[in-house]
Amino acid sequence: MAYPYTHEKEVRLLSRGWGDPAARTLAGARAMGGYEGLAKALELGREKVIEEVKASGLRGRGGAGFPTGMKWSFMPKEKRGPHYLCCNADESEPGTFKDRELLRWTPHQLIEGCLIAAYAIQAEHAYLYCRGEFFEANQVLARAVAEAYEAGLAGEKILGSGITIDLTVHQGAGAYICGEETALMNSLEGRRGLPRVKPPFPAAAGLFNRPTTINNVETLCAVPHIIKNGGAWYRQWGSEKSPGTKLFCVSGHVVRPGNYELPLGFPLQELIYDVCGGFREGRRLKAVIPGGSSVPIMSEAECLDCSLDYEGVAAKGSMLGCASVIVMDDSTNIVKQVRRMVDFYAHESCGQCTPCREGTTWLSRILVRIETGRGTEEDLQTLLDLGKQMTGTTICVLSDSAAAPVASSIQKFRDDYLALIRQGEAVGAA
């Protein structure tokens, strides 16, 4: 099967141009209706653009799921200086690989979304903070921005209006923490990418201490379609509280891993067994992490009737996050996989908060002890206690992200830990 994998149940709205080199160009984007949403936004006016996005029910696709239109409305109405828009394209959550595809294949879709959002919040400058390792994506995006300037879609008097919006593509240096919005702003200002204490929130004092809105790539890519077709049109997909389509990044032990654009509320079982082709012969489902490595693990039983929207996954004790679905079959060594995730967070901790700096390291050390057959049953309670002390006690949620998979794995796969502690035998090898 040629890239990208597709399925008849997909609703290819944001991903429609993937795999088509023409979609990377301005001419190709316009052939698919590109920049019609921007033209309409300028006709509607700022307030109506925000109201239309509110009507669509679009929620931030970066993980938090906060309503986008409401976030935009937090920006000051009276303008007494520069406003800024930041596009968070620093995708680095383990298991997540959707934003880089939007950057690679449909850069003009993102640029149009940035221009509409910047117009709505009265920002005259939009920064696209792109992960430095995305070498190809950075090149594609830079070429698309140049095309937009040449066509009068960006810069002074966009589309012949009196509106000026400049675009700057900034390459990050590859730190996971810079995906956190305040660390991202520090990095853009030329400082270390350390998260800031909130409040003040970015809408009051963000980039360069000015009112700022930060949106994720996938969120901004949905905006042109909403403005062009209307908020009510967008609500034909998904549920009342979680409308629209969502890009699900599926990785792990399924036959056809990849990105699939589906309506929110799509059944998890159908995603695994139908869209992704199920498992290798003789294997069965053991666990799923539904929203990237930072959310609680779900057991097979919890996956049975789980709908993939913010409410459906929360009802099962986890979070949809950025919808990075990591699927594990019964060959998986849960302890090993959780230790690998914790190692990642220990490496990426900025070290600013003691519970995170020390906690992630100690989680890793204890997990290594258990994994190598030197652990005790008391270690399990120590891990749970340590996780509690790490949750909600730091400036950002990196610490919480490291603790969540540890606690949920002990609660749901305790026998796997006990097999290593009592017999020195791992359950599963992958």
Side-chain angles (χ1 to χ4, degrees), residues 52-335:
E52 204 64 59
V53 174
K54 280 184 177 177
S56 74
L58 175 65
R59 299 172 65 166
R61 304 305 199 214
F66 193 81
T68 304
M70 186 178 296
K71 190 174 190 178
W72 290 4
S73 67
F74 291 158
M75 291 289 279
K77 299 294 184 294
E78 292 183 9
K79 195 173 178 195
R80 298 175 179 171
H83 289 188
Y84 295 110
L85 173 77
C86 291
C87 170
N88 187 346
D90 193 56
E91 179 178 62
S92 51
E93 177 83 357
T96 308
F97 44 89
K98 60 182 178 59
D99 289 349
R100 71 193 69 177
E101 296 302 282
L102 289 166
L103 291 163
R104 287 177 64 215
W105 291 109
T106 52
H108 283 286
Q109 182 178 228
L110 173 62
I111 291 170
E112 186 181 6
C114 288
L115 291 168
I116 295 172
Y119 169 66
I121 63 170
Q122 301 187 76
E124 48 278 280
H125 206 132
Y127 289 90
L128 293 89
Y129 189 99
C130 191
R131 191 164 187 79
E133 288 94 328
F134 295 170
F135 184 71
E136 181 192 12
N138 270 296
Q139 287 187 318
V140 171
L141 185 59
R143 281 198 295 268
V145 167
E147 279 188 307
Y149 268 97
E150 289 171 8
L153 295 162
E156 296 183 0
K157 300 179 180 178
I158 60 173
L159 287 177
S161 69
I163 307 297
T164 295
I165 301 174
D166 281 309
L167 302 170
T168 297
V169 179
H170 179 95
Q171 294 185 29
Y176 172 78
I177 196 62
C178 287
E180 196 278 338
E181 60 178 14
T182 57
L184 183 152
M185 292 189 296
N186 274 349
S187 177
L188 270 175
E189 292 174 1
R191 296 188 280 160
R192 282 189 65 190
L194 300 178
R196 302 176 184 176
V197 175
K198 294 185 283 189
F201 293 96
L207 187 64
F208 306 120
N209 205 33
R210 298 299 309 163
T212 302
T213 291
I214 302 174
N215 288 132
N216 167 260
V217 169
E218 187 183 354
T219 311
L220 290 165
C221 285
V223 168
H225 302 280
I226 291 169
I227 298 303
K228 180 181 172 183
N229 300 291
W233 168 86
Y234 190 67
R235 280 186 173 276
Q236 69 180 291
W237 301 290
S239 60
E240 175 61 27
K241 294 183 178 179
S242 300
T245 66
K246 181 79 189 76
L247 288 163
F248 293 92
C249 321
V250 187
S251 61
H253 294 137
V254 290
V255 173
R256 292 190 297 274
N259 280 301
Y260 296 96
E261 186 172 5
L262 296 160
L264 279 162
F266 197 82
L268 175 56
Q269 290 269 316
E270 207 169 327
L271 175 66
I272 295 172
Y273 291 103
D274 183 4
V275 176
C276 296
F279 299 96
R280 294 169 294 171
E281 187 175 355
R283 291 299 177 190
R284 55 175 292 180
L285 177 63
K286 180 171 183 175
V288 168
I289 306 177
S293 64
S294 59
V295 307
I297 298 172
M298 293 169 59
S299 65
E300 181 186 16
E302 290 170 323
C303 296
L304 288 177
D305 57 349
C306 179
S307 62
L308 289 169
D309 53 29
Y310 297 98
E311 294 71 33
V313 178
K316 300 297 181 182
S318 189
M319 295 184 288
L320 185 65
C322 47
S324 303
V325 183
I326 303 171
V327 184
M328 293 174 268
D329 70 18
D330 58 355
S331 69
T332 303
N333 179 340
I334 288 287
V335 179

Side-chain angles (χ1 to χ4, degrees), residues 1-7 10 12 18-20 101 105 256-260:
M1 182 182 289
Y3 178 86
Y5 295 157
T6 58
H7 193 275
E10 282 191 275
R12 294 176 66 80
W18 290 9
D20 178 8
E101 296 302 282
W105 291 109
R256 292 190 297 274
N259 280 301
Y260 296 96

